[in-house]
Amino acid sequence: MKRLLITECFKLFRQSKTYYAIASILIIEGIILISAYFEGTNIINLLLDNLRKTFYFNGTLLNGNLLQYLVLNTLWFHLPLIIMIVVSGMLTAEYKDKTVQTVLLQPVRKWQWILSKYIVAIGFTVVMVGLLFLTSYWLCRGFFGEGDLVVYLDGLSFFPAAEAATRIQWSFLAGTISMVFFAVSSLTLAVILKDVTKTWIVSALFLIVCNVLLKIDLGTDWLNQYALFKLNDTWQYFFQYEIPFRIILLNWIVSVFYIIIIAAVGIFIFHKRDIG
Amino acid sequence: MSKIFICCWLLLFSPDIFSQGVDEDLIKMRQRLDSVLSFQVNLQLETDISFINMPVKRALMRWEKGKTVQFTTKDFILLPKRGLDFSLRTLFEYPFVTLVRGVATQNGQIIKEMNVIPADRRADFSIATIWLNTSLRRVEAAEISTQKDGTYFLQMHYRLAKDIFPDRVAVKFEIEKIKIPLNFMGKGTQVDKEKLKVDGMKSGKIFLNMSDYLIRMIGS
């Protein structure tokens, strides 16, 4: 199993598309950061417009914490898209190049081989989110400094700089679980569809549907809380003034459950299917 | 005939009816405040506004006669426009008249309720009501109706009888709640602010706690 994991890592980081993906994420991050800097002023003006009558403001809110929050807000669509392309490509490329048959002619168990792909996919996702966190942390604070964070979530909340940084770190952790969910889903789709283009299209569709359904009221609290696609905004809970840790923990447990189920389905289908 | 003469005499010479000047107790209070050359104080702000969550903020406030108030703080803070004017200088900036509404005794102190009415169009308030402690020559409470910024109610609390400035001020005001469908980088940022103000007026409070006053007065 260890060798399979090393081989999968080697293959992943050997292929040029992995580096294209990393470069894409960094370019998108840079563009978002520049846009966030200009839009950030408008957003602050909009948020604080009605307070100007009553208050004077002392200090600045257009700082690294706000920009990193805005980057977070925007990247949760772009990042999974790129992760899904790379991760699904880990299997569809093998089908396309027929290397899957070559590998499985060796004394390798099918379930172990596909499991190693799931584990490497999860590892790659964690590395990507970690890279995003570090680069956005460095860029936002390096250029715009630290300061209080203002967030509008059913009211205006102001967080001191240190607390804001901690909340952002936690929200990245929550975002990582969502990204892993999408990565695992795309690999399972690759198992089912095999074809590169079909998998990309269905993965993109899956992502869009999840994003659309995230905003739709499903009628019951239970569904609104625990439906597959409703868990992807758990990271936002860290910006509620009183963090609902119990809800977050439950969401994480349910998310991990979904991830395990989706991966298990993929492994089961792959294991049962003939390689041909 | 003599009654008519007395009535005319009273009407002509009663200062409270025809010559609305400035109340003497208010003048005494102003004289006391005018003796302050500068002060600095540690400020602690607590907000009580239904749609704003803000932790307790701290700042150092400095004031010098003839200069604007300066604040030093590491954090972002919201400073109420009216609550920090302990001496109510903005009320007395332009000519005004006062009208005494009543006198009451509270804890052995004489509290005079009076209206302050601006006599100059440049004043940014339309009317103010002041509750003046005539015994201690200081303001206990004030309600100010401004031209543009709504109505404010200030409640002062003093630690000692001799204190010229309060150690606690509660500022009550009205504020418009804004509702924003925040969708950053989307079309949500291009919104009509007027349409967004659907939640109407909400009342809010700010509590200011002052400590460690350093006051420099004439002759000190």
Side-chain angles (χ1 to χ4, degrees):
Chain A
M1 190 67 189
K2 192 179 169 187
R3 284 186 181 174
L4 282 173
L5 288 172
I6 293 167
T7 311
E8 284 306 321
C9 285
F10 177 78
K11 279 194 276 184
L12 182 66
F13 288 101
R14 180 82 184 187
Q15 61 182 9
S16 61
K17 63 183 167 196
T18 305
Y19 297 98
Y20 273 94
I22 293 169
S24 307
I25 291 293
L26 296 177
I27 289 167
I28 292 168
E29 188 186 347
I31 293 167
I32 289 170
L33 201 60
I34 293 164
S35 309
Y37 176 69
F38 291 108
E39 288 289 327
T41 311
N42 291 338
I43 284 182
I44 289 169
N45 287 338
L46 185 67
L47 290 175
L48 304 182
D49 185 55
N50 62 330
L51 301 180
R52 280 182 211 286
K53 277 185 181 177
T54 317
F55 300 102
Y56 295 118
F57 305 138
N58 197 306
T60 178
L61 287 172
L62 189 61
N63 54 52
N65 279 327
L66 180 72
L67 290 183
Q68 203 178 10
Y69 174 74
L70 295 176
V71 167
L72 262 175
N73 236 329
T74 318
L75 266 175
W76 294 139
F77 181 79
H78 307 283
L79 184 64
L81 189 66
I82 290 168
I83 286 175
M84 286 171 103
I85 289 169
V86 175
V87 167
S88 63
M90 285 168 63
L91 185 64
T92 53
E94 302 243 23
Y95 277 119
K96 189 185 167 195
D97 301 336
K98 311 272 187 202
T99 48
V100 63
Q101 289 152 328
T102 315
V103 171
L104 292 176
L105 284 172
Q106 309 298 316
V108 175
R109 286 180 183 164
K110 279 166 80 179
W111 69 268
Q112 279 189 335
W113 186 73
I114 194 72
L115 179 63
S116 69
K117 283 202 182 287
Y118 275 103
I119 293 169
V120 171
I122 291 168
F124 172 70
T125 308
V126 173
V127 168
M128 288 296 278
V129 178
L131 180 73
L132 183 68
F133 169 71
L134 289 175
T135 50
S136 63
Y137 186 90
W138 177 74
L139 286 169
C140 293
R141 276 162 189 74
F143 285 104
F144 307 105
E146 290 195 40
D148 286 14
L149 173 67
V150 59
V151 169
Y152 187 88
L153 276 179
D154 198 26
L156 279 175
S157 296
F158 294 83
F159 303 114
E163 189 188 329
T166 309
R167 284 172 184 260
I168 288 170
Q169 285 165 25
W170 279 103
S171 65
F172 264 98
L173 183 66
T176 306
I177 294 172
S178 296
M179 295 304 105
V180 167
F181 166 75
F182 284 115
V184 167
S185 302
S186 69
L187 197 52
T188 300
L189 286 171
V191 169
I192 296 164
L193 299 165
K194 294 183 185 178
D195 182 70
V196 179
T197 317
K198 281 180 194 168
T199 308
W200 284 356
I201 291 169
V202 176
S203 295
L205 178 72
F206 179 70
L207 177 63
I208 292 163
V209 168
C210 280
N211 273 285
V212 171
L213 292 178
L214 184 68
K215 290 160 190 162
I216 290 173
D217 184 8
L218 298 175
T220 65
D221 289 346
W222 193 86
L223 276 174
N224 280 329
Q225 192 64 42
Y226 299 114
L228 194 78
F229 33 84
K230 288 283 181 185
L231 298 165
N232 291 322
D233 70 341
T234 304
W235 69 275
Q236 280 278 20
Y237 286 96
F238 286 103
F239 296 100
Q240 287 186 6
Y241 199 67
E242 298 291 336
I243 300 173
F245 282 107
R246 196 174 159 273
I247 294 173
I248 290 169
L249 191 66
L250 272 170
N251 279 9
W252 282 355
I253 291 167
V254 177
S255 295
V256 170
F257 175 74
Y258 280 133
I259 290 166
I260 291 168
I261 291 289
I262 290 166
V265 167
I267 293 165
F268 180 77
I269 292 170
F270 186 82
H271 190 69
K272 288 288 172 190
R273 188 187 275 166
D274 287 335
I275 304 301
Chain B
M1 185 65 190
S2 62
K3 280 180 183 173
I4 293 168
F5 175 78
I6 290 165
C7 282
C8 289
W9 188 88
L10 280 170
L11 284 168
L12 282 168
F13 295 100
S14 171
D16 284 344
I17 296 172
F18 283 104
S19 62
Q20 287 182 336
V22 178
D23 182 80
E24 275 186 21
D25 289 314
L26 189 71
I27 292 170
K28 284 178 190 167
M29 183 211 74
R30 282 188 64 193
Q31 282 169 348
R32 190 183 181 211
L33 288 170
D34 283 345
S35 65
V36 178
L37 294 172
S38 69
F39 74 84
Q40 78 167 44
V41 64
N42 289 323
L43 205 64
Q44 186 182 291
L45 295 104
E46 284 176 55
T47 48
D48 179 13
I49 306 167
S50 62
F51 61 96
I52 294 179
N53 298 308
M54 184 175 249
V56 174
K57 295 284 183 176
R58 288 173 181 80
L60 179 72
M61 177 179 165
R62 282 198 195 93
W63 176 81
E64 208 170 320
K65 206 167 195 170
K67 292 182 181 174
T68 53
V69 181
Q70 300 288 319
F71 296 95
T72 312
T73 175
K74 284 188 290 180
D75 305 331
F76 174 84
I77 51 170
L78 295 174
L79 298 158
K81 281 186 175 176
R82 296 287 163 173
L84 295 168
D85 182 18
F86 305 147
S87 55
L88 305 176
R89 266 182 300 279
T90 48
L91 294 187
F92 312 136
E93 198 175 355
Y94 298 107
F96 62 92
V97 292
T98 56
L99 181 67
V100 176
R101 306 298 302 249
V103 178
T105 308
Q106 200 175 30
N107 301 326
Q109 309 283 331
I110 297 165
I111 308 292
K112 197 182 255 186
E113 182 185 342
M114 66 180 76
N115 285 140
V116 178
I117 304 153
D120 191 308
R121 285 185 178 181
R122 286 174 295 171
D124 73 341
F125 70 103
S126 48
I127 192 165
T129 307
I130 289 177
W131 286 264
L132 187 69
N133 187 327
T134 56
S135 317
L136 301 172
R137 290 190 295 158
R138 64 192 185 191
V139 175
E140 297 292 337
E143 189 179 65
I144 305 159
S145 298
T146 64
Q147 303 273 16
K148 293 175 185 171
D149 303 332
T151 302
Y152 293 79
F153 185 79
L154 308 177
Q155 181 73 53
M156 321 284 201
H157 178 271
Y158 299 84
R159 198 164 60 90
L160 300 170
K162 68 178 177 63
D163 286 351
I164 189 167
F165 289 131
D167 70 328
R168 263 204 329 267
V169 177
V171 189
K172 195 177 172 188
F173 49 86
E174 286 191 323
I175 188 166
E176 237 170 5
K177 184 181 176 183
I178 196 164
K179 215 174 179 182
I180 305 165
L182 186 61
N183 180 18
F184 177 71
M185 302 284 284
K187 288 180 180 174
T189 49
Q190 305 295 320
V191 289
D192 183 345
K193 288 178 194 172
E194 290 308 312
K195 281 183 185 171
L196 290 172
K197 290 170 186 173
V198 291
D199 276 16
M201 300 300 285
K202 303 274 175 188
S203 67
K205 277 184 189 168
I206 287 242
F207 300 97
L208 304 160
N209 290 299
M210 279 69 70
S211 59
D212 305 323
Y213 272 108
L214 281 176
I215 304 171
R216 196 162 64 88
M217 302 183 82
I218 293 169
S220 67

